[in-house]
Amino acid sequence: RTTRCRLPNLSLGTSTGCVRESSTVLPNGHERISARGSQMTTLATPDGPLIAMGFVLLMLGGEFVVQGAVTIAGRLRVPPLLIGFTIVAIGTSLPELAVVLEAVNEGTHEIAVGGVLGSNVANVMLVLGTASLIGAASNPGQGIHRDAVAVAAATVILLAAVLIGGIGWQFGVLMLLGLAAYYAYSYRVSKAEGTDVEDSDTWLPDYILLAIPVTVAGGYMIWTGAEMLVEGATGLANSYGISESVIGLSIVALGTSLPELAVTLVAGLRGQGGVAVGNILGSNVINIMGILGVASVYSGGLVIAPEFAARDIWVVVLTSGFIVAMLLDERHIGRRVGAAMVGGYLAYMAMLYL
């Protein structure tokens, strides 16, 4: 008896072999199974370029989705404040969501969880530190106390989940409901205060027939980029013997934090300090409550490796607690503090690989 040829997914251009199994029934009733392989050669893409291409597609896709959605919302006469609180905020987190869901699909929960933990550290230490170096974090603006408290609460929830060792799908639903309640409350308060949110200007012409395909194309680029990034990151971990958790905490986290870095720097250069700091805090809340919440519901329960409880969750708690304390105490986040934060992030990256 000969079985069918079993082939892995070749959509990402990796090379593989085709194995055919045959079995022979022996006189004693047992079955002897033999296999012969026929090597199939396809155009292989090295892990490094695969990761780089994934990053590029994630960033371009996120930009396309946000700009297209902003144009569509404007044509539908959605209030600019609501656009900032929903489309722009969620759109910049789509790369993280796509990467986490793809990692869950591949069964690499370490990359999924490590990406979220590492992204939160990168947002605080690297992105906010860089914003401080250019003077964009000196005047956080209105609503920062509210956002800081939300980050503190979300970080406590993340700490509990890591120490427990997982997030059940039921608790994931509660996390999503909590995130929705937080956004509804923030929107009402901001509307009453007349608070400005992220600039929702778009470079797209004001044509909805153009905006729709741009949005769809952006979504396709995000998911394709996520597949390439997870595939490349997993291959890199296997090739060099690096744990998937370290890959998630460093390469994946840094790549998915690039949109936040870009938005924060642009806002800072425009003199919108409140937008710069608020974008970072909001992204960290979405990472924990939204992305991990969706991942736990999608996977039927997210498993968190014990190694995260030994070191990395405490780095998240320390960095998030530091910035929350400074914001609540209305301390000045100047260039010296920013330089120390960026230096601390580089030291953490070095420590991961030592």
Side-chain angles (χ1 to χ4, degrees):
R1 177 174 58 87
T2 301
T3 61
R4 63 183 176 85
C5 181
R6 300 173 302 173
L7 287 175
N9 185 359
L10 302 179
S11 60
L12 296 179
T14 56
S15 61
T16 185
C18 173
V19 177
R20 295 184 183 273
E21 291 180 351
S22 62
S23 62
T24 304
V25 179
L26 301 176
N28 59 8
H30 294 290
E31 189 177 38
R32 181 178 62 197
I33 299 176
S34 61
R36 62 184 176 86
S38 60
Q39 184 68 28
M40 296 183 63
T41 303
T42 61
L43 183 60
T45 305
D47 297 321
L50 203 60
I51 292 173
M53 288 187 292
F55 283 153
V56 171
L57 286 176
L58 284 172
M59 288 187 289
L60 286 177
E63 177 71 5
F64 276 37
V65 167
V66 170
Q67 298 297 331
V70 165
T71 300
I72 294 171
R75 292 289 294 175
L76 298 177
R77 305 194 183 281
V78 177
L81 183 65
L82 186 58
I83 292 175
F85 263 95
T86 55
I87 296 172
V88 176
I90 296 173
T92 54
S93 295
L94 281 179
E96 285 99 331
L97 178 61
V99 169
V100 167
L101 293 184
E102 179 62 25
V104 168
N105 279 335
E106 296 293 327
T108 54
H109 286 208
E110 290 85 356
I111 289 181
V113 177
V116 171
L117 268 64
S119 180
N120 277 24
V121 173
N123 284 346
V124 171
M125 301 297 286
L126 178 64
V127 179
L128 185 57
T130 304
S132 301
L133 286 174
I134 63 174
S138 57
N139 182 25
Q142 290 180 302
I144 290 300
H145 281 203
R146 178 182 66 247
D147 294 336
V149 171
V151 169
T155 303
V156 170
I157 292 173
L158 178 61
L159 173 62
V162 171
L163 295 180
I164 291 172
I167 303 174
W169 70 266
Q170 300 93 335
F171 191 71
V173 172
L174 293 178
M175 292 170 68
L176 293 174
L177 292 175
L179 179 64
Y182 163 68
Y183 264 95
Y185 172 74
S186 297
Y187 173 69
R188 288 198 303 268
V189 173
S190 296
K191 188 175 182 180
E193 294 175 347
T195 305
D196 291 332
V197 295
E198 189 169 327
D199 190 359
S200 57
D201 288 341
T202 176
W203 42 260
L204 273 181
D206 192 19
Y207 298 113
I208 195 168
L209 293 180
L210 177 62
I212 291 175
V214 166
T215 305
V216 173
Y220 178 78
M221 284 191 287
I222 287 175
W223 289 110
T224 303
E227 288 182 359
M228 298 176 74
L229 177 57
V230 172
E231 181 78 10
T234 304
L236 192 67
N238 293 334
S239 299
Y240 292 94
I242 306 171
S243 69
E244 291 177 344
S245 60
V246 170
I247 293 293
L249 287 163
S250 55
I251 297 175
V252 174
L254 180 60
T256 55
S257 291
L258 291 179
E260 281 81 3
L261 178 61
V263 170
T264 300
L265 291 180
V266 170
L269 293 174
R270 290 178 178 177
Q272 299 171 314
V275 170
V277 179
N279 176 68
I280 296 167
L281 299 181
S283 177
N284 280 14
V285 174
I286 291 179
N287 282 350
I288 297 172
M289 304 295 288
I291 293 176
L292 288 183
V294 170
S296 62
V297 174
Y298 177 77
S299 63
L302 192 64
V303 178
I304 300 178
E307 59 190 282
F308 290 116
R311 176 190 58 195
D312 304 300
I313 184 58
W314 301 111
V315 175
V316 175
V317 171
L318 180 63
T319 55
S320 297
F322 168 73
I323 198 62
V324 165
M326 290 199 69
L327 291 174
L328 291 179
D329 198 37
E330 298 183 355
R331 296 288 185 91
H332 178 70
I333 306 176
R335 289 181 171 83
R336 289 185 180 180
V337 175
M341 292 166 69
V342 173
Y345 179 76
L346 296 177
Y348 174 56
M349 289 295 100
M351 183 178 64
L352 287 177
Y353 287 92
L354 294 179

